[in-house]
Amino acid sequence: MAGTEKETKKTPQEAAAGKRWFGRGIYGSKDVPIRLLDGFIALAVVTILVLTFLFAQSGGYDITFDSCGGSEVAAQKLRHGTQVAVPETPTKPGYTFEGWYTSPEEDGTAWEFESNVVENTMTLYARWAPAQITVKFDLDGGTVDGKESAEDKIVTYGETYGSLPTPEKEGFRFDGWIYSGEVITEDTIVTMTGEHVLTARWA
């Protein structure tokens, strides 16, 4: 029996060799295979964290443009610290585009495309001013102050026409200005979005 116990008893070196695949790795064991596996896992975790940070800093910011009633403008995806490319100028009937601002409110500041850089996801807002529209006059044979033509008038979209000339025509009474079948007076709101001609009506 003593001989049998001696045959099954392992030396310290043999016992260590048998346990080397089951050590605690980076938690204290000196077993090489486990240490390599733990090192690989740690490297993968660090890589994921670094890539996440770099993505947030260099490639994940959406820049959108709110045209505030104008035509649609494509969004941009930009890196941190880069400049926004000047987008296509939107259009809005009856209005003149004045630029892109950080807020739709009056206290918003203008975005300077040549100097401002991207720091986070943001929206830029279009600012508009009512268009200045040229109005011409067809006197239909009449005169204004003895002249056969009347000076053009500049009106503002969305506001009234204001004072209009009163032409004269021998044998006729001036009966107002007409545009597209509609009578135009000083109190009429300008709804045409471009240059147009008012025609004298005679009775």
Side-chain angles (χ1 to χ4, degrees):
M1 294 295 294
T4 302
E5 292 179 357
K6 184 175 182 180
E7 290 176 358
T8 58
K9 186 176 181 180
K10 296 182 180 181
T11 64
Q13 291 79 4
E14 291 174 335
K19 292 194 297 182
R20 81 169 115 183
W21 297 98
F22 304 98
R24 291 176 296 166
I26 60 175
Y27 305 105
S29 174
K30 297 181 179 180
D31 300 317
V32 175
I34 299 301
R35 290 170 61 87
L36 289 176
L37 178 60
D38 288 338
F40 175 78
I41 294 174
L43 178 61
V45 171
V46 171
T47 300
I48 292 173
L49 292 175
V50 170
L51 290 177
T52 300
F53 175 78
L54 291 177
F55 177 79
Q57 291 295 313
S58 64
Y61 293 138
D62 291 317
I63 311 302
T64 55
F65 301 90
D66 186 341
S67 62
C68 297
S71 57
E72 186 175 350
V73 177
Q76 300 178 23
K77 194 174 189 68
L78 302 172
R79 294 178 298 179
H80 182 274
T82 59
Q83 294 180 339
V84 178
V86 179
E88 178 182 356
T89 300
T91 58
K92 184 178 181 180
Y95 292 87
T96 300
F97 178 67
E98 291 192 321
W100 294 103
Y101 286 73
T102 57
S103 169
E105 308 300 330
E106 290 297 326
D107 58 356
T109 57
W111 183 263
E112 302 295 340
F113 289 91
E114 296 182 356
S115 57
N116 293 144
V117 296
V118 174
E119 295 182 352
N120 48 44
T121 295
M122 66 177 182
T123 298
L124 294 178
Y125 300 86
R127 182 167 295 181
W128 303 94
Q132 300 296 295
I133 298 169
T134 300
V135 177
K136 295 180 177 294
F137 301 94
D138 179 357
L139 303 183
D140 189 24
T143 60
V144 173
D145 297 330
K147 299 179 181 179
E148 296 182 352
S149 62
E151 294 184 359
D152 297 345
K153 179 179 177 65
I154 303 298
V155 296
T156 301
Y157 179 81
E159 298 184 7
T160 61
Y161 277 87
S163 62
L164 297 171
T166 302
E168 297 178 342
K169 185 178 182 180
E170 187 175 353
F172 293 86
R173 176 178 58 83
F174 176 64
D175 196 33
W177 294 103
I178 301 295
Y179 177 78
S180 190
E182 179 185 355
V183 177
I184 304 298
T185 70
E186 296 180 354
D187 297 325
T188 301
I189 301 296
V190 179
T191 58
M192 275 63 77
T193 58
E195 180 181 300
H196 54 285
V197 179
L198 302 185
T199 302
R201 182 172 68 178
W202 303 99

